[in-house]
Amino acid sequence: MAGESQNWVLMVTAQTPTNIAVIKYWGKRDETLILPVNDSISVTLDPSHLCTTTTVAVSPSFQHDCMWLNGKEISLSGGRFQNCLREIRARACDVEDKKKGIKITKEDWGKLHVHIASYNNFPTAAGLASSAAGFACLVYALGKLMNVKEDESQLSAIARQGSGSACRSLFGGFVKWIMGKEDDGSDSFAVQLADEKHWDDLVIVIAVVSSRQKETSSTAGMRESVETSLLLQHRAKEVVPKRILQMEEAIKYRDFATFSQLTCADSNQFHAVCLDTRPPIFYMNDTSHKIISIVEKWNRSEEAPQVAYTFDAGPNAVLIARNRKAATLLIQRLLYYFPPSSDDLNSYIIGDKSIAKDAGIIGIQDVEALPPPPETKDNIPSQKYKGDVSYFICTRPGRGPVLLSDESQALLNGENGFPK
């Protein structure tokens, strides 16, 4: 290993988006390799609003592998981290940094330890696919650090072993995770169906109902569903294969009516599987149900659906509007029913704030002046649910992972490889 002084640190920083499944993954046929019981399709969210940033560093001075998540040191002893580290190390190639006088051979990687620092700009473990973005970013960054030659689909099969949904975060736009048939998981990976520019009319609004950690983790919930839910067996064998084909067509032709119908139906069926599990699992809450009711009522009152809703393993609503006009009408409805509990509108609507501005909402007085939506014509005063939504994130379909070359964005100190 050239660069005999023990002081050098080699570092890479990457940023990876999260993704939200529109045809859900729920249930594994192999727990260790994380092989799903069905294909799934997701949309990648704009990383400028929802992403994980990860810095990985290597140095001969590091005593062991270490990781910090959102500033706190966490254990790397779990099998999922170890699987990803092992798979990437096995594919590592020679690396040379002439400026720093560093040369690492393929063989050296097995003896060197890594430091990893990761930061999510959104709530962890609240059902917003934080582990998906996290493991995808870890694998992508380590792959760049260790000069791994595999393409994104091959890397996605490694990220899958950290968190199933992570394989879909290796691409932007619309992504399909192919379940595969092989026992070793070699044919279970992600492919891009269309990039983020393909359907750039879409606007996504996330209602963060709760950023608390969920009571039943996805891993435990899936295991119980596979063991006890007859509906899950029927879903995986009969329902999802047809839906996948229909969803691919809807995305290809930007057919929002079909896209919306499939997205809502698949979300509802996933939560029905959770209810069909023994003991039943409740990821949604009363506020989640109110949001569904608002969207369904509005869609029924229009000639064509305006918004699709989908809920992952948590109460937060991901609402996909057909275009910007529909998104402004959606924001008006959401703020009418769920006004903020404080006057600070700035921290209540985050991400792309221009959508609220287009809807004529600049200050709290604009929220208070909103009229009841036209579909509530039945003269029954509409109930408002102040404070039931923590905040809204306005975003759109986004790109896949990227390297960040600016040293100031690194989470580790370039001198010693420890958190800044």
Side-chain angles (χ1 to χ4, degrees), residues 196-212:
E196 64 277 15
K197 294 186 186 76
H198 166 73
W199 201 350
D200 58 4
D201 286 355
L202 300 178
V203 177
I204 299 166
V205 177
I206 301 168
V208 179
V209 172
S210 166
S211 51
R212 281 204 307 267

Side-chain angles (χ1 to χ4, degrees), residues 11-61:
M11 214 161 66
V12 162
T13 301
Q15 193 182 66
T16 303
T18 186
N19 71 80
I20 295 293
V22 289
I23 302 290
K24 303 293 187 192
Y25 144 59
W26 193 251
K28 304 180 185 81
R29 61 187 172 89
D30 185 307
E31 289 264 342
T32 311
L33 293 171
I34 309 191
L35 300 175
V37 295
N38 58 263
D39 292 349
S40 57
I41 292 175
S42 65
V43 57
T44 300
L45 304 182
D46 187 339
S48 51
H49 307 134
L50 291 116
C51 72
T52 296
T53 302
T54 300
T55 300
V56 292
V58 65
S59 170
S61 65

Side-chain angles (χ1 to χ4, degrees), residues 247-315:
M247 183 59 90
E248 286 185 52
E249 288 287 294
I251 291 165
K252 185 177 176 183
Y253 295 109
R254 298 192 288 271
D255 169 3
F256 190 80
T258 305
F259 174 85
S260 171
Q261 185 266 319
L262 290 168
T263 299
C264 299
D266 204 73
S267 175
N268 291 336
Q269 189 180 64
F270 153 53
H271 289 279
V273 166
C274 293
L275 288 177
D276 189 49
T277 300
R278 280 197 321 273
I281 307 162
F282 306 96
Y283 285 124
M284 293 200 287
N285 62 18
D286 286 352
T287 307
S288 317
H289 298 143
K290 283 170 204 152
I291 293 169
I292 289 176
S293 173
I294 290 161
V295 172
E296 287 283 0
K297 209 176 273 186
W298 181 27
N299 280 344
R300 277 202 305 276
S301 75
E302 298 282 347
E303 284 174 19
Q306 302 301 299
V307 175
Y309 58 79
T310 187
F311 293 78
D312 273 359

Side-chain angles (χ1 to χ4, degrees), residues 68-103:
W68 295 267
L69 174 61
N70 295 336
K72 287 186 187 144
E73 188 165 359
I74 62 165
S75 168
L76 275 174
S77 61
R80 294 179 169 205
F81 284 112
Q82 291 305 321
N83 289 349
C84 292
L85 281 167
R86 188 187 62 247
E87 294 283 345
I88 290 285
R89 278 184 172 126
R91 292 163 174 76
C93 297
D94 294 0
V95 170
E96 189 169 7
D97 184 327
K98 285 185 175 152
K99 254 199 294 190
K100 290 189 174 181
I102 299 166
K103 187 164 188 189

Side-chain angles (χ1 to χ4, degrees), residues 25 34 80 84 131-133 135 156 158-168 177:
Y25 144 59
I34 309 191
R80 294 179 169 205
C84 292
S131 62
F135 277 104
S156 79
I158 299 171
R160 185 203 76 225
Q161 296 175 53
S163 164
S165 317
C167 71
R168 298 189 307 243
W177 174 12

Side-chain angles (χ1 to χ4, degrees), residues 310-381:
T310 187
F311 293 78
D312 273 359
N316 304 318
V318 178
L319 305 164
I320 306 171
R322 67 181 305 138
N323 53 31
R324 197 158 178 99
K325 183 176 180 230
T328 61
L329 295 171
L330 172 65
I331 275 286
Q332 287 173 349
R333 280 166 173 79
L334 291 170
L335 290 174
Y336 175 80
Y337 288 108
F338 303 103
S341 49
S342 79
D343 289 352
D344 183 12
L345 200 60
N346 208 35
S347 60
Y348 195 60
I349 300 171
I350 62 173
D352 182 0
K353 292 175 189 286
S354 66
I355 292 160
K357 286 198 180 100
D358 286 2
I361 293 154
I362 289 141
I364 197 74
Q365 68 283 358
D366 302 314
V367 175
E368 287 160 359
L370 284 168
E375 62 271 15
T376 55
K377 282 191 200 118
D378 40 18
N379 294 327
I380 300 164

